[in-house]
Structures are given as C-alpha cells and as structure tokens.
Amino acid sequence: MDEMTEHERFLLEELQAANDLLLRNAYLLDDYIDYINAAGLREEFEAFRTVKAQQEVSKSS
C-alpha cells in the first residue's frame, strides 16, 4: 500500500474517533435498554414514546 498523505492520515484519525464515539453511544444505549427491561419499565417506556410521538404530531400541525 502506498504511503498515506498527512491529509489522509488526518481523515482516518477523524473517522476512527467518530467510530469510537458511535460505538460508545451504542453500548450505552444497549445498557439503557437492558436496564429498562430488567426494571420492568418496558410498558411505561412504550407509553412515554406514544405520548411523545403524539405531541410531536401536534406540534407539527
């Protein structure tokens, strides 16, 4: 493989940092989902999402 330019190295580092951030967020979201399910809050969460969606529709109308 050819040597990377400084700009290509910079872009690769930025891409890796963004990927790391997205992975951390995905793991955190997975933990939140596990917590909601383990705490028996799934029904309450679904009800919250339904109300929130209805409020968003009301705002956009």
Side-chain angles (χ1 to χ4, degrees), residues 29-58:
L29 180 57
D30 192 47
D31 287 344
Y32 278 128
I33 291 168
D34 288 345
Y35 172 77
I36 286 169
N37 289 328
L41 299 172
R42 181 146 185 97
E43 292 80 18
E44 290 84 355
F45 180 68
E46 291 299 327
F48 167 78
R49 290 182 66 210
T50 300
V51 169
K52 185 175 178 180
Q54 291 169 347
Q55 290 172 343
E56 290 296 321
V57 168
S58 295

Side-chain angles (χ1 to χ4, degrees), residues 2-21:
D2 295 346
E3 186 72 24
M4 284 194 289
T5 66
E6 185 175 331
H7 183 68
E8 289 171 328
R9 257 191 314 278
F10 170 77
L11 291 175
L12 181 60
E13 289 171 6
E14 289 296 308
L15 181 60
Q16 289 171 336
N19 188 51
D20 290 345
L21 179 62

